[in-house]
Short mmCIF file of all heavy atoms in Angstrom, two decimals:
data_model
loop_
_atom_site.label_atom_id
_atom_site.label_comp_id
_atom_site.label_asym_id
_atom_site.label_seq_id
_atom_site.Cartn_x
_atom_site.Cartn_y
_atom_site.Cartn_z
N ILE P 43 106.98 88.30 115.33
CA ILE P 43 108.21 88.83 114.72
C ILE P 43 108.06 90.25 114.14
O ILE P 43 109.04 90.98 114.00
CB ILE P 43 108.76 87.83 113.68
CG1 ILE P 43 110.18 88.18 113.23
CG2 ILE P 43 107.82 87.67 112.48
CD1 ILE P 43 111.24 87.89 114.25
N GLY P 44 106.83 90.67 113.87
CA GLY P 44 106.62 92.03 113.36
C GLY P 44 106.82 93.12 114.42
O GLY P 44 106.89 94.30 114.09
N VAL P 45 106.90 92.75 115.69
CA VAL P 45 107.09 93.73 116.78
C VAL P 45 108.58 93.93 117.01
O VAL P 45 109.33 92.96 117.08
CB VAL P 45 106.43 93.24 118.09
CG1 VAL P 45 106.52 94.30 119.17
CG2 VAL P 45 104.98 92.83 117.86
N MET P 46 109.00 95.18 117.11
CA MET P 46 110.42 95.49 117.35
C MET P 46 110.58 95.96 118.80
O MET P 46 109.71 96.63 119.34
CB MET P 46 110.89 96.66 116.47
CG MET P 46 110.44 96.58 115.04
SD MET P 46 111.49 95.50 114.09
CE MET P 46 110.57 95.46 112.57
N GLY P 47 111.71 95.64 119.40
CA GLY P 47 112.01 96.14 120.75
C GLY P 47 111.05 95.60 121.79
O GLY P 47 110.69 96.29 122.74
N ASP P 48 110.60 94.35 121.61
CA ASP P 48 109.60 93.78 122.51
C ASP P 48 110.21 93.18 123.77
O ASP P 48 109.54 93.08 124.77
CB ASP P 48 108.84 92.67 121.76
CG ASP P 48 109.79 91.58 121.26
OD1 ASP P 48 110.63 91.90 120.40
OD2 ASP P 48 109.71 90.44 121.75
N HIS P 49 111.48 92.76 123.70
CA HIS P 49 112.08 92.09 124.85
C HIS P 49 113.46 92.66 125.15
O HIS P 49 114.12 93.19 124.26
CB HIS P 49 112.22 90.58 124.56
CG HIS P 49 113.18 90.33 123.43
ND1 HIS P 49 112.79 90.35 122.12
CD2 HIS P 49 114.51 90.11 123.42
CE1 HIS P 49 113.83 90.13 121.35
NE2 HIS P 49 114.90 89.99 122.11
N SER P 50 113.89 92.52 126.40
CA SER P 50 115.23 92.99 126.76
C SER P 50 116.09 91.77 127.08
O SER P 50 115.59 90.66 127.15
CB SER P 50 115.16 93.95 127.94
OG SER P 50 114.43 93.35 128.99
N HIS P 51 117.39 92.01 127.27
CA HIS P 51 118.31 90.89 127.53
C HIS P 51 118.98 91.04 128.88
O HIS P 51 118.89 92.08 129.52
CB HIS P 51 119.36 90.82 126.42
CG HIS P 51 118.80 90.28 125.14
ND1 HIS P 51 118.79 88.96 124.83
CD2 HIS P 51 118.19 90.91 124.10
CE1 HIS P 51 118.20 88.78 123.65
NE2 HIS P 51 117.83 89.96 123.19
N ARG P 52 119.68 89.96 129.30
CA ARG P 52 120.39 89.98 130.58
C ARG P 52 121.82 90.48 130.36
O ARG P 52 122.33 90.45 129.24
CB ARG P 52 120.44 88.56 131.16
CG ARG P 52 119.06 88.00 131.39
CD ARG P 52 118.91 87.41 132.77
NE ARG P 52 117.49 87.14 133.00
CZ ARG P 52 116.88 86.05 132.54
NH1 ARG P 52 117.55 85.16 131.86
NH2 ARG P 52 115.61 85.87 132.77
N THR P 53 122.46 90.92 131.43
CA THR P 53 123.82 91.48 131.40
C THR P 53 124.78 90.67 130.52
O THR P 53 124.91 89.46 130.70
CB THR P 53 124.40 91.55 132.83
OG1 THR P 53 123.46 92.22 133.65
CG2 THR P 53 125.72 92.30 132.85
N GLY P 54 125.41 91.36 129.58
CA GLY P 54 126.44 90.73 128.74
C GLY P 54 125.91 89.96 127.54
O GLY P 54 126.69 89.44 126.75
N GLU P 55 124.60 89.89 127.42
CA GLU P 55 124.02 89.09 126.33
C GLU P 55 123.90 89.91 125.04
O GLU P 55 123.54 91.08 125.06
CB GLU P 55 122.64 88.59 126.75
CG GLU P 55 122.23 87.31 126.04
CD GLU P 55 120.98 86.69 126.69
OE1 GLU P 55 119.95 87.37 126.78
OE2 GLU P 55 121.08 85.53 127.10
N TRP P 56 124.19 89.26 123.91
CA TRP P 56 124.04 89.83 122.57
C TRP P 56 122.92 89.11 121.85
O TRP P 56 122.67 87.94 122.13
CB TRP P 56 125.30 89.61 121.75
CG TRP P 56 126.44 90.53 122.07
CD1 TRP P 56 127.40 90.33 123.03
CD2 TRP P 56 126.76 91.76 121.41
NE1 TRP P 56 128.28 91.37 123.01
CE2 TRP P 56 127.92 92.26 122.02
CE3 TRP P 56 126.18 92.48 120.36
CZ2 TRP P 56 128.51 93.46 121.64
CZ3 TRP P 56 126.76 93.67 119.97
CH2 TRP P 56 127.91 94.14 120.61
N MET P 57 122.30 89.77 120.89
CA MET P 57 121.39 89.06 120.00
C MET P 57 121.53 89.65 118.60
O MET P 57 121.61 90.86 118.42
CB MET P 57 119.94 89.18 120.44
CG MET P 57 119.01 88.25 119.64
SD MET P 57 117.26 88.50 119.97
CE MET P 57 116.91 89.82 118.80
N LEU P 58 121.58 88.77 117.60
CA LEU P 58 121.57 89.22 116.21
C LEU P 58 120.25 88.79 115.60
O LEU P 58 119.70 87.74 115.97
CB LEU P 58 122.73 88.59 115.44
CG LEU P 58 124.12 88.99 115.92
CD1 LEU P 58 125.18 88.26 115.12
CD2 LEU P 58 124.32 90.51 115.82
N SER P 59 119.73 89.59 114.68
CA SER P 59 118.47 89.20 114.05
C SER P 59 118.42 89.64 112.59
O SER P 59 119.12 90.57 112.16
CB SER P 59 117.29 89.82 114.81
OG SER P 59 117.31 91.21 114.70
N TYR P 60 117.60 88.93 111.85
CA TYR P 60 117.34 89.28 110.46
C TYR P 60 115.84 89.11 110.23
O TYR P 60 115.25 88.09 110.62
CB TYR P 60 118.12 88.36 109.50
CG TYR P 60 117.62 88.46 108.07
CD1 TYR P 60 117.90 89.59 107.31
CD2 TYR P 60 116.84 87.45 107.52
CE1 TYR P 60 117.41 89.70 106.01
CE2 TYR P 60 116.35 87.55 106.22
CZ TYR P 60 116.63 88.70 105.47
OH TYR P 60 116.13 88.80 104.20
N ARG P 61 115.24 90.13 109.62
CA ARG P 61 113.81 90.03 109.27
C ARG P 61 113.66 90.30 107.79
O ARG P 61 114.34 91.17 107.24
CB ARG P 61 113.00 91.07 110.02
CG ARG P 61 112.73 90.80 111.47
CD ARG P 61 111.94 91.95 112.04
NE ARG P 61 111.56 91.73 113.42
CZ ARG P 61 112.34 91.99 114.46
NH1 ARG P 61 113.56 92.47 114.27
NH2 ARG P 61 111.90 91.77 115.69
N PHE P 62 112.72 89.59 107.19
CA PHE P 62 112.33 89.90 105.83
C PHE P 62 110.85 90.22 105.86
O PHE P 62 110.04 89.43 106.34
CB PHE P 62 112.59 88.71 104.89
CG PHE P 62 112.03 88.94 103.52
CD1 PHE P 62 112.64 89.84 102.67
CD2 PHE P 62 110.89 88.28 103.09
CE1 PHE P 62 112.12 90.09 101.41
CE2 PHE P 62 110.36 88.52 101.83
CZ PHE P 62 110.98 89.42 100.98
N MET P 63 110.51 91.43 105.39
CA MET P 63 109.12 91.83 105.41
C MET P 63 108.66 92.16 104.00
O MET P 63 109.40 92.81 103.26
CB MET P 63 108.95 93.07 106.28
CG MET P 63 107.51 93.44 106.52
SD MET P 63 107.34 95.13 107.08
CE MET P 63 107.34 96.00 105.52
N THR P 64 107.50 91.70 103.62
CA THR P 64 106.95 92.09 102.33
C THR P 64 105.53 92.60 102.53
O THR P 64 104.73 92.00 103.23
CB THR P 64 107.05 90.95 101.29
OG1 THR P 64 106.41 91.37 100.10
CG2 THR P 64 106.42 89.66 101.77
N MET P 65 105.28 93.77 101.94
CA MET P 65 103.96 94.40 102.09
C MET P 65 103.37 94.59 100.70
O MET P 65 104.04 95.13 99.82
CB MET P 65 104.11 95.74 102.77
CG MET P 65 102.80 96.50 102.89
SD MET P 65 102.93 97.91 104.01
CE MET P 65 103.76 99.07 102.98
N SER P 66 102.14 94.11 100.49
CA SER P 66 101.52 94.36 99.19
C SER P 66 100.32 95.28 99.32
O SER P 66 99.52 95.16 100.26
CB SER P 66 101.14 93.06 98.49
OG SER P 66 100.85 92.07 99.41
N MET P 67 100.26 96.20 98.38
CA MET P 67 99.18 97.19 98.34
C MET P 67 98.59 97.11 96.93
O MET P 67 99.32 97.10 95.96
CB MET P 67 99.73 98.59 98.59
CG MET P 67 100.60 98.67 99.83
SD MET P 67 101.37 100.28 100.05
CE MET P 67 100.17 101.02 101.13
N ASP P 68 97.25 97.03 96.88
CA ASP P 68 96.62 96.88 95.58
C ASP P 68 95.29 97.62 95.58
O ASP P 68 94.42 97.31 96.38
CB ASP P 68 96.43 95.38 95.28
CG ASP P 68 96.09 95.13 93.82
OD1 ASP P 68 96.07 96.10 93.04
OD2 ASP P 68 95.84 93.97 93.47
N GLY P 69 95.14 98.59 94.71
CA GLY P 69 93.89 99.34 94.62
C GLY P 69 93.86 100.54 95.54
O GLY P 69 94.59 100.59 96.53
N ASN P 70 93.03 101.51 95.19
CA ASN P 70 92.97 102.76 95.94
C ASN P 70 91.76 102.83 96.85
O ASN P 70 90.76 102.17 96.64
CB ASN P 70 92.93 103.94 94.97
CG ASN P 70 94.28 104.21 94.35
OD1 ASN P 70 95.13 104.83 94.95
ND2 ASN P 70 94.49 103.69 93.14
N ARG P 71 91.88 103.70 97.84
CA ARG P 71 90.83 103.93 98.80
C ARG P 71 90.74 105.42 99.08
O ARG P 71 91.75 106.13 99.04
CB ARG P 71 91.20 103.24 100.11
CG ARG P 71 90.09 102.42 100.71
CD ARG P 71 90.68 101.62 101.85
NE ARG P 71 90.50 100.21 101.57
CZ ARG P 71 89.55 99.47 102.13
NH1 ARG P 71 88.72 99.98 102.99
NH2 ARG P 71 89.42 98.20 101.81
N ASP P 72 89.52 105.89 99.37
CA ASP P 72 89.34 107.25 99.84
C ASP P 72 88.46 107.14 101.08
O ASP P 72 87.34 106.64 100.99
CB ASP P 72 88.66 108.12 98.76
CG ASP P 72 88.69 109.59 99.16
OD1 ASP P 72 89.36 109.93 100.15
OD2 ASP P 72 88.03 110.39 98.47
N GLN P 73 89.01 107.57 102.23
CA GLN P 73 88.42 107.29 103.53
C GLN P 73 88.26 105.77 103.63
O GLN P 73 89.21 105.07 103.34
CB GLN P 73 87.08 108.03 103.73
CG GLN P 73 87.14 109.54 103.51
CD GLN P 73 88.23 110.27 104.29
OE1 GLN P 73 88.85 111.16 103.77
NE2 GLN P 73 88.53 109.91 105.53
N LYS P 74 87.04 105.27 103.92
CA LYS P 74 86.92 103.81 104.07
C LYS P 74 86.49 103.12 102.77
O LYS P 74 86.44 101.90 102.70
CB LYS P 74 85.90 103.51 105.17
CG LYS P 74 86.41 103.92 106.54
CD LYS P 74 85.52 103.45 107.65
CE LYS P 74 86.21 103.69 108.98
NZ LYS P 74 85.45 103.23 110.12
N GLN P 75 86.18 103.92 101.76
CA GLN P 75 85.63 103.36 100.51
C GLN P 75 86.73 102.98 99.52
O GLN P 75 87.66 103.75 99.31
CB GLN P 75 84.73 104.41 99.82
CG GLN P 75 83.53 104.82 100.63
CD GLN P 75 82.60 103.67 100.94
OE1 GLN P 75 82.29 102.87 100.05
NE2 GLN P 75 82.17 103.56 102.18
N ARG P 76 86.55 101.84 98.88
CA ARG P 76 87.44 101.48 97.77
C ARG P 76 87.01 102.29 96.56
O ARG P 76 85.82 102.49 96.33
CB ARG P 76 87.31 100.00 97.44
CG ARG P 76 87.82 99.11 98.55
CD ARG P 76 88.06 97.72 98.03
NE ARG P 76 89.17 97.74 97.09
CZ ARG P 76 89.95 96.68 96.88
NH1 ARG P 76 89.75 95.56 97.50
NH2 ARG P 76 90.94 96.74 96.00
N ILE P 77 87.98 102.77 95.79
CA ILE P 77 87.64 103.50 94.58
C ILE P 77 88.40 102.90 93.39
O ILE P 77 89.44 102.27 93.58
CB ILE P 77 87.91 105.03 94.70
CG1 ILE P 77 89.35 105.30 95.14
CG2 ILE P 77 86.95 105.69 95.67
CD1 ILE P 77 89.73 106.76 95.08
N THR P 78 87.87 103.11 92.20
CA THR P 78 88.47 102.48 91.02
C THR P 78 89.55 103.38 90.42
O THR P 78 89.68 104.55 90.77
CB THR P 78 87.39 102.25 89.93
OG1 THR P 78 86.91 103.54 89.53
CG2 THR P 78 86.23 101.42 90.46
N GLN P 79 90.31 102.81 89.49
CA GLN P 79 91.33 103.55 88.74
C GLN P 79 90.68 104.75 88.04
O GLN P 79 91.22 105.84 88.04
CB GLN P 79 91.94 102.67 87.65
CG GLN P 79 92.80 101.55 88.13
CD GLN P 79 94.00 102.05 88.87
OE1 GLN P 79 94.11 101.86 90.08
NE2 GLN P 79 94.90 102.72 88.18
#
Side-chain angles (χ1 to χ4, degrees):
I43 192 74
V45 185
M46 316 279 172
D48 58 296
H49 64 274
S50 52
H51 286 271
R52 301 229 169 81
T53 308
E55 206 168 57
W56 283 87
M57 190 188 86
L58 297 177
S59 65
Y60 166 73
R61 284 179 176 84
F62 173 72
M63 189 198 84
T64 176
M65 177 168 77
S66 30
M67 309 175 94
D68 194 3
N70 285 279
R71 227 170 241 259
D72 190 9
Q73 306 308 140
K74 292 188 170 182
Q75 298 299 315
R76 293 197 68 152
I77 54 172
T78 64
Q79 291 297 112

